[in-house]
Amino acid sequence: KAGVTQTPRYLIKTRGQQVTLSCSPISGHRSVSWYQQTPGQGLQFLFEYFSETQRNKGNFPGRFSGRQFSNSRSEMNVSTLELGDSALYLCASSLDWTGQFFGPGTRLTVL
Amino acid sequence: EDQVTQSPEALRLQEGESSSLNCSYTVSGLRGLFWYRQDPGKGPEFLFTLYSAGEEKEKERLKATLTKKESFLHITAPKPEDSATYLCAVQATQGGSEKLVFGKGTKLTVNP
């Protein structure tokens, strides 16, 4: 069974730009969650989508948004990038809240 | 506020030297506690889920236990390939929304 895939793996953007990250979950998984990982804050929950609906949300500003398609693939968008948005963005899929399976992440650098 | 604290931040062991990692948590209504392993440059790899105090799970050299306030990850006779950062997370409900709250991890180094 193929694992969670994320594209692109690396991105370099400048302040003020926007970025879209993509995540393909494990086949059959309808829940997709997004996390931001930084050395200082660790792993922080952004939001979770289930059956194309945002089901849960963390404490991030509205510049961070996402969506999920009918095939469960998900995208995350960050608008008006700030230097502090530089991080590893991780996507995780699961059948439910037990045992989330993570992708390799997208390393975003904001200059 | 829901919090997860892991200790120690870093741990160095000799191959074969058993030890334990700690994860203490404060959460209103624990719905699940998760352990993950993360290698540099990779996403976390799922290890265990624990649901209730007294529960234990084992996998190879790893054993996870859970009490009402903390969880331990016991590593028996570790090998160099066990070197990684171990993350603990709790499933919490906040404002009607469910999320995983992660600790900052314990970086384990096992020397041959």
Side-chain angles (χ1 to χ4, degrees), chain A residues 9 35 37 40-41 43 45 56-57 59 88 90 97-100 102-104, chain B residues 34 36 38 41-44 46 49 51 87 91 94 97-100 102 104:
Chain A
R9 293 294 312 279
Y35 295 84
Q37 187 173 33
Q41 298 298 319
L43 261 162
F45 175 71
N56 294 292
K57 190 177 185 304
N59 300 321
L88 180 67
L90 291 158
W97 272 97
T98 62
Q100 292 194 332
F102 283 81
Chain B
F34 305 83
Y36 288 87
Q38 186 173 25
K42 296 188 176 182
F46 172 73
T49 306
Y51 292 105
L87 297 165
Q91 183 180 346
Q94 190 177 68
S97 189
E98 291 212 26
K99 62 179 181 179
L100 282 186
F102 278 84
K104 295 197 175 176

PDB file of all heavy atoms in Angstrom, chain A residues 9 35 37 40-41 43 45 56-57 59 88 90 97-100 102-104, chain B residues 34 36 38 41-44 46 49 51 87 91 94 97-100 102 104:
ATOM      1  N   ARG A   9       8.582  18.690  -2.446  1.00  0.00           N
ATOM      2  CA  ARG A   9       9.331  18.373  -1.227  1.00  0.00           C
ATOM      3  C   ARG A   9      10.040  19.607  -0.678  1.00  0.00           C
ATOM      4  O   ARG A   9      10.210  19.725   0.539  1.00  0.00           O
ATOM      5  CB  ARG A   9      10.363  17.282  -1.494  1.00  0.00           C
ATOM      6  CG  ARG A   9       9.772  15.927  -1.820  1.00  0.00           C
ATOM      7  CD  ARG A   9       9.016  15.320  -0.620  1.00  0.00           C
ATOM      8  NE  ARG A   9       9.785  15.396   0.610  1.00  0.00           N
ATOM      9  CZ  ARG A   9      10.752  14.537   0.934  1.00  0.00           C
ATOM     10  NH1 ARG A   9      11.047  13.532   0.123  1.00  0.00           N
ATOM     11  NH2 ARG A   9      11.418  14.676   2.070  1.00  0.00           N
ATOM     12  N   TYR A  35       0.060  19.783   9.557  1.00  0.00           N
ATOM     13  CA  TYR A  35       0.825  20.250  10.705  1.00  0.00           C
ATOM     14  C   TYR A  35       1.983  21.118  10.231  1.00  0.00           C
ATOM     15  O   TYR A  35       2.509  20.934   9.145  1.00  0.00           O
ATOM     16  CB  TYR A  35       1.414  19.070  11.487  1.00  0.00           C
ATOM     17  CG  TYR A  35       0.391  18.175  12.123  1.00  0.00           C
ATOM     18  CD1 TYR A  35      -0.205  17.156  11.396  1.00  0.00           C
ATOM     19  CD2 TYR A  35       0.029  18.343  13.451  1.00  0.00           C
ATOM     20  CE1 TYR A  35      -1.153  16.321  11.974  1.00  0.00           C
ATOM     21  CE2 TYR A  35      -0.917  17.511  14.043  1.00  0.00           C
ATOM     22  CZ  TYR A  35      -1.502  16.509  13.293  1.00  0.00           C
ATOM     23  OH  TYR A  35      -2.429  15.694  13.875  1.00  0.00           O
ATOM     24  N   GLN A  37       5.843  22.134  11.467  1.00  0.00           N
ATOM     25  CA  GLN A  37       6.896  21.740  12.404  1.00  0.00           C
ATOM     26  C   GLN A  37       8.061  22.705  12.313  1.00  0.00           C
ATOM     27  O   GLN A  37       8.641  22.911  11.231  1.00  0.00           O
ATOM     28  CB  GLN A  37       7.385  20.313  12.130  1.00  0.00           C
ATOM     29  CG  GLN A  37       8.375  19.807  13.194  1.00  0.00           C
ATOM     30  CD  GLN A  37       8.737  18.343  13.014  1.00  0.00           C
ATOM     31  OE1 GLN A  37       8.809  17.835  11.906  1.00  0.00           O
ATOM     32  NE2 GLN A  37       8.964  17.655  14.130  1.00  0.00           N
ATOM     33  N   GLY A  40      11.544  25.558  17.128  1.00  0.00           N
ATOM     34  CA  GLY A  40      11.150  26.219  18.370  1.00  0.00           C
ATOM     35  C   GLY A  40       9.810  25.769  18.916  1.00  0.00           C
ATOM     36  O   GLY A  40       9.640  25.584  20.121  1.00  0.00           O
ATOM     37  N   GLN A  41       8.841  25.562  18.040  1.00  0.00           N
ATOM     38  CA  GLN A  41       7.469  25.244  18.460  1.00  0.00           C
ATOM     39  C   GLN A  41       7.119  23.773  18.322  1.00  0.00           C
ATOM     40  O   GLN A  41       6.086  23.334  18.818  1.00  0.00           O
ATOM     41  CB  GLN A  41       6.466  26.070  17.649  1.00  0.00           C
ATOM     42  CG  GLN A  41       6.608  27.561  17.840  1.00  0.00           C
ATOM     43  CD  GLN A  41       6.356  27.971  19.275  1.00  0.00           C
ATOM     44  OE1 GLN A  41       5.451  27.466  19.934  1.00  0.00           O
ATOM     45  NE2 GLN A  41       7.195  28.869  19.794  1.00  0.00           N
ATOM     46  N   LEU A  43       5.760  20.360  16.585  1.00  0.00           N
ATOM     47  CA  LEU A  43       4.660  20.054  15.672  1.00  0.00           C
ATOM     48  C   LEU A  43       3.376  20.724  16.149  1.00  0.00           C
ATOM     49  O   LEU A  43       2.931  20.490  17.272  1.00  0.00           O
ATOM     50  CB  LEU A  43       4.417  18.547  15.639  1.00  0.00           C
ATOM     51  CG  LEU A  43       5.005  17.763  14.487  1.00  0.00           C
ATOM     52  CD1 LEU A  43       5.069  16.291  14.820  1.00  0.00           C
ATOM     53  CD2 LEU A  43       4.135  17.952  13.247  1.00  0.00           C
ATOM     54  N   PHE A  45      -0.724  21.593  15.136  1.00  0.00           N
ATOM     55  CA  PHE A  45      -1.861  21.216  14.316  1.00  0.00           C
ATOM     56  C   PHE A  45      -2.449  22.433  13.605  1.00  0.00           C
ATOM     57  O   PHE A  45      -2.727  23.462  14.221  1.00  0.00           O
ATOM     58  CB  PHE A  45      -2.909  20.576  15.213  1.00  0.00           C
ATOM     59  CG  PHE A  45      -4.210  20.238  14.556  1.00  0.00           C
ATOM     60  CD1 PHE A  45      -4.300  19.196  13.652  1.00  0.00           C
ATOM     61  CD2 PHE A  45      -5.355  20.975  14.842  1.00  0.00           C
ATOM     62  CE1 PHE A  45      -5.507  18.879  13.049  1.00  0.00           C
ATOM     63  CE2 PHE A  45      -6.559  20.669  14.262  1.00  0.00           C
ATOM     64  CZ  PHE A  45      -6.642  19.620  13.354  1.00  0.00           C
ATOM     65  N   ASN A  56     -11.836  19.952  11.880  1.00  0.00           N
ATOM     66  CA  ASN A  56     -11.156  20.473  13.058  1.00  0.00           C
ATOM     67  C   ASN A  56     -10.136  21.521  12.644  1.00  0.00           C
ATOM     68  O   ASN A  56      -9.594  21.452  11.534  1.00  0.00           O
ATOM     69  CB  ASN A  56     -10.450  19.350  13.826  1.00  0.00           C
ATOM     70  CG  ASN A  56     -11.425  18.365  14.422  1.00  0.00           C
ATOM     71  OD1 ASN A  56     -12.170  18.676  15.337  1.00  0.00           O
ATOM     72  ND2 ASN A  56     -11.440  17.155  13.883  1.00  0.00           N
ATOM     73  N   LYS A  57      -9.870  22.454  13.562  1.00  0.00           N
ATOM     74  CA  LYS A  57      -8.998  23.565  13.231  1.00  0.00           C
ATOM     75  C   LYS A  57      -8.111  23.911  14.417  1.00  0.00           C
ATOM     76  O   LYS A  57      -8.572  23.899  15.566  1.00  0.00           O
ATOM     77  CB  LYS A  57      -9.850  24.783  12.846  1.00  0.00           C
ATOM     78  CG  LYS A  57      -9.078  25.936  12.254  1.00  0.00           C
ATOM     79  CD  LYS A  57     -10.049  27.039  11.845  1.00  0.00           C
ATOM     80  CE  LYS A  57      -9.323  28.176  11.130  1.00  0.00           C
ATOM     81  NZ  LYS A  57      -8.241  28.753  11.913  1.00  0.00           N
ATOM     82  N   ASN A  59      -4.940  26.712  15.958  1.00  0.00           N
ATOM     83  CA  ASN A  59      -4.924  28.144  16.260  1.00  0.00           C
ATOM     84  C   ASN A  59      -3.996  28.926  15.336  1.00  0.00           C
ATOM     85  O   ASN A  59      -3.094  29.621  15.795  1.00  0.00           O
ATOM     86  CB  ASN A  59      -4.500  28.362  17.721  1.00  0.00           C
ATOM     87  CG  ASN A  59      -5.448  27.688  18.684  1.00  0.00           C
ATOM     88  OD1 ASN A  59      -6.654  27.681  18.485  1.00  0.00           O
ATOM     89  ND2 ASN A  59      -4.895  27.095  19.736  1.00  0.00           N
ATOM     90  N   LEU A  88       8.716  22.971   8.211  1.00  0.00           N
ATOM     91  CA  LEU A  88       8.380  21.715   7.544  1.00  0.00           C
ATOM     92  C   LEU A  88       6.876  21.529   7.691  1.00  0.00           C
ATOM     93  O   LEU A  88       6.356  21.530   8.809  1.00  0.00           O
ATOM     94  CB  LEU A  88       9.125  20.547   8.184  1.00  0.00           C
ATOM     95  CG  LEU A  88       8.877  19.159   7.581  1.00  0.00           C
ATOM     96  CD1 LEU A  88       9.446  19.079   6.159  1.00  0.00           C
ATOM     97  CD2 LEU A  88       9.487  18.071   8.458  1.00  0.00           C
ATOM     98  N   LEU A  90       3.760  19.155   7.307  1.00  0.00           N
ATOM     99  CA  LEU A  90       3.489  17.717   7.259  1.00  0.00           C
ATOM    100  C   LEU A  90       2.005  17.461   7.077  1.00  0.00           C
ATOM    101  O   LEU A  90       1.164  18.134   7.668  1.00  0.00           O
ATOM    102  CB  LEU A  90       3.954  17.057   8.558  1.00  0.00           C
ATOM    103  CG  LEU A  90       5.469  17.017   8.766  1.00  0.00           C
ATOM    104  CD1 LEU A  90       5.805  16.851  10.238  1.00  0.00           C
ATOM    105  CD2 LEU A  90       6.074  15.883   7.956  1.00  0.00           C
ATOM    106  N   TRP A  97      -9.190   9.073  14.018  1.00  0.00           N
ATOM    107  CA  TRP A  97      -8.145   9.759  14.763  1.00  0.00           C
ATOM    108  C   TRP A  97      -7.072   8.823  15.292  1.00  0.00           C
ATOM    109  O   TRP A  97      -6.073   9.271  15.815  1.00  0.00           O
ATOM    110  CB  TRP A  97      -8.753  10.546  15.928  1.00  0.00           C
ATOM    111  CG  TRP A  97      -9.156  11.907  15.490  1.00  0.00           C
ATOM    112  CD1 TRP A  97     -10.392  12.312  15.119  1.00  0.00           C
ATOM    113  CD2 TRP A  97      -8.293  13.035  15.338  1.00  0.00           C
ATOM    114  NE1 TRP A  97     -10.360  13.634  14.760  1.00  0.00           N
ATOM    115  CE2 TRP A  97      -9.090  14.100  14.890  1.00  0.00           C
ATOM    116  CE3 TRP A  97      -6.927  13.245  15.545  1.00  0.00           C
ATOM    117  CZ2 TRP A  97      -8.567  15.360  14.640  1.00  0.00           C
ATOM    118  CZ3 TRP A  97      -6.399  14.501  15.297  1.00  0.00           C
ATOM    119  CH2 TRP A  97      -7.224  15.536  14.850  1.00  0.00           C
ATOM    120  N   THR A  98      -7.257   7.545  15.130  1.00  0.00           N
ATOM    121  CA  THR A  98      -6.236   6.632  15.638  1.00  0.00           C
ATOM    122  C   THR A  98      -5.164   6.422  14.587  1.00  0.00           C
ATOM    123  O   THR A  98      -5.466   6.252  13.414  1.00  0.00           O
ATOM    124  CB  THR A  98      -6.848   5.267  15.981  1.00  0.00           C
ATOM    125  OG1 THR A  98      -7.384   4.693  14.790  1.00  0.00           O
ATOM    126  CG2 THR A  98      -7.947   5.419  17.000  1.00  0.00           C
ATOM    127  N   GLY A  99      -3.914   6.446  15.003  1.00  0.00           N
ATOM    128  CA  GLY A  99      -2.822   6.088  14.115  1.00  0.00           C
ATOM    129  C   GLY A  99      -2.747   6.908  12.845  1.00  0.00           C
ATOM    130  O   GLY A  99      -2.936   6.388  11.745  1.00  0.00           O
ATOM    131  N   GLN A 100      -2.471   8.200  12.982  1.00  0.00           N
ATOM    132  CA  GLN A 100      -2.258   9.024  11.798  1.00  0.00           C
ATOM    133  C   GLN A 100      -0.929   8.669  11.146  1.00  0.00           C
ATOM    134  O   GLN A 100       0.076   8.499  11.831  1.00  0.00           O
ATOM    135  CB  GLN A 100      -2.272  10.499  12.186  1.00  0.00           C
ATOM    136  CG  GLN A 100      -3.637  10.993  12.637  1.00  0.00           C
ATOM    137  CD  GLN A 100      -3.694  12.491  12.692  1.00  0.00           C
ATOM    138  OE1 GLN A 100      -2.690  13.154  12.910  1.00  0.00           O
ATOM    139  NE2 GLN A 100      -4.871  13.054  12.482  1.00  0.00           N
ATOM    140  N   PHE A 102       2.006   9.832   8.549  1.00  0.00           N
ATOM    141  CA  PHE A 102       2.544  11.071   8.025  1.00  0.00           C
ATOM    142  C   PHE A 102       3.266  10.882   6.693  1.00  0.00           C
ATOM    143  O   PHE A 102       3.862   9.836   6.430  1.00  0.00           O
ATOM    144  CB  PHE A 102       3.534  11.689   9.015  1.00  0.00           C
ATOM    145  CG  PHE A 102       2.880  12.370  10.183  1.00  0.00           C
ATOM    146  CD1 PHE A 102       2.429  11.632  11.267  1.00  0.00           C
ATOM    147  CD2 PHE A 102       2.708  13.743  10.190  1.00  0.00           C
ATOM    148  CE1 PHE A 102       1.820  12.259  12.347  1.00  0.00           C
ATOM    149  CE2 PHE A 102       2.111  14.385  11.263  1.00  0.00           C
ATOM    150  CZ  PHE A 102       1.661  13.634  12.346  1.00  0.00           C
ATOM    151  N   GLY A 103       3.227  11.940   5.886  1.00  0.00           N
ATOM    152  CA  GLY A 103       4.039  12.006   4.685  1.00  0.00           C
ATOM    153  C   GLY A 103       5.426  12.531   5.016  1.00  0.00           C
ATOM    154  O   GLY A 103       5.717  12.837   6.173  1.00  0.00           O
ATOM    155  N   PRO A 104       6.286  12.674   4.002  1.00  0.00           N
ATOM    156  CA  PRO A 104       7.656  13.118   4.229  1.00  0.00           C
ATOM    157  C   PRO A 104       7.779  14.611   4.486  1.00  0.00           C
ATOM    158  O   PRO A 104       8.812  15.081   4.964  1.00  0.00           O
ATOM    159  CB  PRO A 104       8.373  12.735   2.935  1.00  0.00           C
ATOM    160  CG  PRO A 104       7.287  12.770   1.914  1.00  0.00           C
ATOM    161  CD  PRO A 104       6.046  12.312   2.606  1.00  0.00           C
TER     162      PRO A 104
ATOM    163  N   PHE B  34      -0.477   9.037  21.685  1.00  0.00           N
ATOM    164  CA  PHE B  34       0.223   8.447  20.547  1.00  0.00           C
ATOM    165  C   PHE B  34       1.723   8.631  20.704  1.00  0.00           C
ATOM    166  O   PHE B  34       2.182   9.677  21.168  1.00  0.00           O
ATOM    167  CB  PHE B  34      -0.215   9.133  19.248  1.00  0.00           C
ATOM    168  CG  PHE B  34      -1.703   9.109  19.018  1.00  0.00           C
ATOM    169  CD1 PHE B  34      -2.519  10.050  19.599  1.00  0.00           C
ATOM    170  CD2 PHE B  34      -2.266   8.135  18.218  1.00  0.00           C
ATOM    171  CE1 PHE B  34      -3.886  10.030  19.397  1.00  0.00           C
ATOM    172  CE2 PHE B  34      -3.636   8.111  18.009  1.00  0.00           C
ATOM    173  CZ  PHE B  34      -4.449   9.058  18.597  1.00  0.00           C
ATOM    174  N   TYR B  36       5.294   8.471  18.361  1.00  0.00           N
ATOM    175  CA  TYR B  36       5.841   8.466  17.010  1.00  0.00           C
ATOM    176  C   TYR B  36       7.358   8.488  17.091  1.00  0.00           C
ATOM    177  O   TYR B  36       7.932   8.983  18.048  1.00  0.00           O
ATOM    178  CB  TYR B  36       5.393   9.707  16.230  1.00  0.00           C
ATOM    179  CG  TYR B  36       3.952   9.725  15.826  1.00  0.00           C
ATOM    180  CD1 TYR B  36       2.976  10.218  16.687  1.00  0.00           C
ATOM    181  CD2 TYR B  36       3.558   9.262  14.571  1.00  0.00           C
ATOM    182  CE1 TYR B  36       1.641  10.239  16.313  1.00  0.00           C
ATOM    183  CE2 TYR B  36       2.230   9.286  14.195  1.00  0.00           C
ATOM    184  CZ  TYR B  36       1.281   9.771  15.066  1.00  0.00           C
ATOM    185  OH  TYR B  36      -0.039   9.795  14.693  1.00  0.00           O
ATOM    186  N   GLN B  38      10.620   9.908  14.728  1.00  0.00           N
ATOM    187  CA  GLN B  38      10.928  10.737  13.568  1.00  0.00           C
ATOM    188  C   GLN B  38      12.426  10.729  13.305  1.00  0.00           C
ATOM    189  O   GLN B  38      13.219  11.076  14.184  1.00  0.00           O
ATOM    190  CB  GLN B  38      10.430  12.180  13.764  1.00  0.00           C
ATOM    191  CG  GLN B  38      10.591  13.030  12.518  1.00  0.00           C
ATOM    192  CD  GLN B  38       9.956  14.408  12.642  1.00  0.00           C
ATOM    193  OE1 GLN B  38       9.790  14.920  13.741  1.00  0.00           O
ATOM    194  NE2 GLN B  38       9.572  15.001  11.516  1.00  0.00           N
ATOM    195  N   GLY B  41      14.796  14.671   8.540  1.00  0.00           N
ATOM    196  CA  GLY B  41      14.343  14.877   7.170  1.00  0.00           C
ATOM    197  C   GLY B  41      13.142  14.053   6.764  1.00  0.00           C
ATOM    198  O   GLY B  41      12.764  14.048   5.585  1.00  0.00           O
ATOM    199  N   LYS B  42      12.523  13.359   7.707  1.00  0.00           N
ATOM    200  CA  LYS B  42      11.376  12.520   7.384  1.00  0.00           C
ATOM    201  C   LYS B  42      10.176  12.884   8.246  1.00  0.00           C
ATOM    202  O   LYS B  42      10.305  13.549   9.271  1.00  0.00           O
ATOM    203  CB  LYS B  42      11.722  11.047   7.585  1.00  0.00           C
ATOM    204  CG  LYS B  42      12.804  10.531   6.654  1.00  0.00           C
ATOM    205  CD  LYS B  42      12.965   9.024   6.783  1.00  0.00           C
ATOM    206  CE  LYS B  42      13.980   8.497   5.790  1.00  0.00           C
ATOM    207  NZ  LYS B  42      14.122   7.022   5.865  1.00  0.00           N
ATOM    208  N   GLY B  43       9.006  12.422   7.823  1.00  0.00           N
ATOM    209  CA  GLY B  43       7.820  12.600   8.636  1.00  0.00           C
ATOM    210  C   GLY B  43       7.783  11.614   9.781  1.00  0.00           C
ATOM    211  O   GLY B  43       8.445  10.571   9.733  1.00  0.00           O
ATOM    212  N   PRO B  44       7.022  11.911  10.832  1.00  0.00           N
ATOM    213  CA  PRO B  44       6.909  10.982  11.967  1.00  0.00           C
ATOM    214  C   PRO B  44       6.336   9.631  11.538  1.00  0.00           C
ATOM    215  O   PRO B  44       5.442   9.577  10.700  1.00  0.00           O
ATOM    216  CB  PRO B  44       5.961  11.712  12.921  1.00  0.00           C
ATOM    217  CG  PRO B  44       6.073  13.156  12.558  1.00  0.00           C
ATOM    218  CD  PRO B  44       6.291  13.160  11.078  1.00  0.00           C
ATOM    219  N   PHE B  46       4.359   6.328  12.865  1.00  0.00           N
ATOM    220  CA  PHE B  46       3.479   5.904  13.944  1.00  0.00           C
ATOM    221  C   PHE B  46       4.020   4.659  14.648  1.00  0.00           C
ATOM    222  O   PHE B  46       4.440   3.699  14.002  1.00  0.00           O
ATOM    223  CB  PHE B  46       2.084   5.620  13.376  1.00  0.00           C
ATOM    224  CG  PHE B  46       1.135   4.992  14.346  1.00  0.00           C
ATOM    225  CD1 PHE B  46       0.589   5.733  15.381  1.00  0.00           C
ATOM    226  CD2 PHE B  46       0.799   3.658  14.230  1.00  0.00           C
ATOM    227  CE1 PHE B  46      -0.282   5.154  16.267  1.00  0.00           C
ATOM    228  CE2 PHE B  46      -0.075   3.061  15.116  1.00  0.00           C
ATOM    229  CZ  PHE B  46      -0.620   3.812  16.137  1.00  0.00           C
ATOM    230  N   THR B  49      -0.678   3.577  19.896  1.00  0.00           N
ATOM    231  CA  THR B  49      -1.780   4.353  20.455  1.00  0.00           C
ATOM    232  C   THR B  49      -2.178   3.701  21.775  1.00  0.00           C
ATOM    233  O   THR B  49      -2.336   2.480  21.854  1.00  0.00           O
ATOM    234  CB  THR B  49      -3.020   4.355  19.539  1.00  0.00           C
ATOM    235  OG1 THR B  49      -2.648   4.783  18.233  1.00  0.00           O
ATOM    236  CG2 THR B  49      -4.066   5.311  20.092  1.00  0.00           C
ATOM    237  N   TYR B  51      -5.036   4.159  25.092  1.00  0.00           N
ATOM    238  CA  TYR B  51      -6.313   4.817  25.353  1.00  0.00           C
ATOM    239  C   TYR B  51      -6.646   4.978  26.824  1.00  0.00           C
ATOM    240  O   TYR B  51      -7.346   5.931  27.195  1.00  0.00           O
ATOM    241  CB  TYR B  51      -7.444   4.047  24.671  1.00  0.00           C
ATOM    242  CG  TYR B  51      -7.397   4.121  23.174  1.00  0.00           C
ATOM    243  CD1 TYR B  51      -6.977   3.033  22.418  1.00  0.00           C
ATOM    244  CD2 TYR B  51      -7.762   5.280  22.490  1.00  0.00           C
ATOM    245  CE1 TYR B  51      -6.922   3.098  21.041  1.00  0.00           C
ATOM    246  CE2 TYR B  51      -7.718   5.355  21.108  1.00  0.00           C
ATOM    247  CZ  TYR B  51      -7.297   4.258  20.398  1.00  0.00           C
ATOM    248  OH  TYR B  51      -7.247   4.331  19.032  1.00  0.00           O
ATOM    249  N   LEU B  87       8.426  11.262  19.541  1.00  0.00           N
ATOM    250  CA  LEU B  87       7.396  12.261  19.808  1.00  0.00           C
ATOM    251  C   LEU B  87       6.182  11.625  20.468  1.00  0.00           C
ATOM    252  O   LEU B  87       5.779  10.515  20.112  1.00  0.00           O
ATOM    253  CB  LEU B  87       6.937  12.906  18.495  1.00  0.00           C
ATOM    254  CG  LEU B  87       7.989  13.690  17.708  1.00  0.00           C
ATOM    255  CD1 LEU B  87       7.503  13.954  16.289  1.00  0.00           C
ATOM    256  CD2 LEU B  87       8.303  14.998  18.397  1.00  0.00           C
ATOM    257  N   GLN B  91      -4.610  13.267  22.009  1.00  0.00           N
ATOM    258  CA  GLN B  91      -5.800  13.700  21.282  1.00  0.00           C
ATOM    259  C   GLN B  91      -6.652  14.486  22.261  1.00  0.00           C
ATOM    260  O   GLN B  91      -7.048  13.976  23.312  1.00  0.00           O
ATOM    261  CB  GLN B  91      -6.563  12.495  20.759  1.00  0.00           C
ATOM    262  CG  GLN B  91      -7.776  12.839  19.935  1.00  0.00           C
ATOM    263  CD  GLN B  91      -8.495  11.601  19.447  1.00  0.00           C
ATOM    264  OE1 GLN B  91      -7.965  10.502  19.499  1.00  0.00           O
ATOM    265  NE2 GLN B  91      -9.711  11.765  18.973  1.00  0.00           N
ATOM    266  N   GLN B  94     -10.891  20.835  22.001  1.00  0.00           N
ATOM    267  CA  GLN B  94     -10.810  22.238  22.412  1.00  0.00           C
ATOM    268  C   GLN B  94     -11.805  23.046  21.606  1.00  0.00           C
ATOM    269  O   GLN B  94     -11.719  23.071  20.368  1.00  0.00           O
ATOM    270  CB  GLN B  94      -9.390  22.757  22.189  1.00  0.00           C
ATOM    271  CG  GLN B  94      -9.107  24.118  22.784  1.00  0.00           C
ATOM    272  CD  GLN B  94      -7.642  24.505  22.579  1.00  0.00           C
ATOM    273  OE1 GLN B  94      -7.198  24.738  21.473  1.00  0.00           O
ATOM    274  NE2 GLN B  94      -6.893  24.542  23.662  1.00  0.00           N
ATOM    275  N   SER B  97     -13.496  21.373  18.786  1.00  0.00           N
ATOM    276  CA  SER B  97     -12.622  20.897  17.731  1.00  0.00           C
ATOM    277  C   SER B  97     -11.629  19.897  18.303  1.00  0.00           C
ATOM    278  O   SER B  97     -11.101  20.116  19.388  1.00  0.00           O
ATOM    279  CB  SER B  97     -11.885  22.076  17.108  1.00  0.00           C
ATOM    280  OG  SER B  97     -11.186  21.703  15.955  1.00  0.00           O
ATOM    281  N   GLU B  98     -11.391  18.817  17.584  1.00  0.00           N
ATOM    282  CA  GLU B  98     -10.418  17.827  18.039  1.00  0.00           C
ATOM    283  C   GLU B  98      -9.082  18.069  17.348  1.00  0.00           C
ATOM    284  O   GLU B  98      -9.033  18.471  16.184  1.00  0.00           O
ATOM    285  CB  GLU B  98     -10.896  16.412  17.717  1.00  0.00           C
ATOM    286  CG  GLU B  98     -12.090  15.999  18.533  1.00  0.00           C
ATOM    287  CD  GLU B  98     -12.126  14.517  18.828  1.00  0.00           C
ATOM    288  OE1 GLU B  98     -11.064  13.871  18.845  1.00  0.00           O
ATOM    289  OE2 GLU B  98     -13.224  14.012  19.033  1.00  0.00           O
ATOM    290  N   LYS B  99      -8.005  17.796  18.093  1.00  0.00           N
ATOM    291  CA  LYS B  99      -6.683  17.968  17.506  1.00  0.00           C
ATOM    292  C   LYS B  99      -5.692  17.106  18.256  1.00  0.00           C
ATOM    293  O   LYS B  99      -5.984  16.608  19.353  1.00  0.00           O
ATOM    294  CB  LYS B  99      -6.250  19.429  17.573  1.00  0.00           C
ATOM    295  CG  LYS B  99      -6.131  19.975  18.989  1.00  0.00           C
ATOM    296  CD  LYS B  99      -5.666  21.419  18.977  1.00  0.00           C
ATOM    297  CE  LYS B  99      -5.509  21.960  20.381  1.00  0.00           C
ATOM    298  NZ  LYS B  99      -5.027  23.362  20.396  1.00  0.00           N
ATOM    299  N   LEU B 100      -4.535  16.920  17.648  1.00  0.00           N
ATOM    300  CA  LEU B 100      -3.421  16.268  18.321  1.00  0.00           C
ATOM    301  C   LEU B 100      -2.486  17.349  18.839  1.00  0.00           C
ATOM    302  O   LEU B 100      -2.101  18.253  18.091  1.00  0.00           O
ATOM    303  CB  LEU B 100      -2.661  15.353  17.361  1.00  0.00           C
ATOM    304  CG  LEU B 100      -3.275  13.992  17.028  1.00  0.00           C
ATOM    305  CD1 LEU B 100      -2.302  13.178  16.195  1.00  0.00           C
ATOM    306  CD2 LEU B 100      -3.657  13.226  18.282  1.00  0.00           C
ATOM    307  N   PHE B 102       1.198  17.859  20.330  1.00  0.00           N
ATOM    308  CA  PHE B 102       2.476  17.160  20.383  1.00  0.00           C
ATOM    309  C   PHE B 102       3.410  17.751  21.429  1.00  0.00           C
ATOM    310  O   PHE B 102       3.416  18.973  21.666  1.00  0.00           O
ATOM    311  CB  PHE B 102       3.177  17.242  19.023  1.00  0.00           C
ATOM    312  CG  PHE B 102       2.711  16.235  18.020  1.00  0.00           C
ATOM    313  CD1 PHE B 102       1.589  16.472  17.246  1.00  0.00           C
ATOM    314  CD2 PHE B 102       3.400  15.041  17.843  1.00  0.00           C
ATOM    315  CE1 PHE B 102       1.154  15.536  16.316  1.00  0.00           C
ATOM    316  CE2 PHE B 102       2.977  14.100  16.917  1.00  0.00           C
ATOM    317  CZ  PHE B 102       1.851  14.357  16.157  1.00  0.00           C
ATOM    318  N   LYS B 104       7.582  18.251  22.383  1.00  0.00           N
ATOM    319  CA  LYS B 104       8.684  18.680  21.527  1.00  0.00           C
ATOM    320  C   LYS B 104       9.670  17.551  21.245  1.00  0.00           C
ATOM    321  O   LYS B 104      10.619  17.747  20.484  1.00  0.00           O
ATOM    322  CB  LYS B 104       9.377  19.887  22.133  1.00  0.00           C
ATOM    323  CG  LYS B 104       8.437  21.080  22.179  1.00  0.00           C
ATOM    324  CD  LYS B 104       9.143  22.387  22.388  1.00  0.00           C
ATOM    325  CE  LYS B 104       8.120  23.521  22.302  1.00  0.00           C
ATOM    326  NZ  LYS B 104       8.725  24.826  22.599  1.00  0.00           N
TER     327      LYS B 104
END
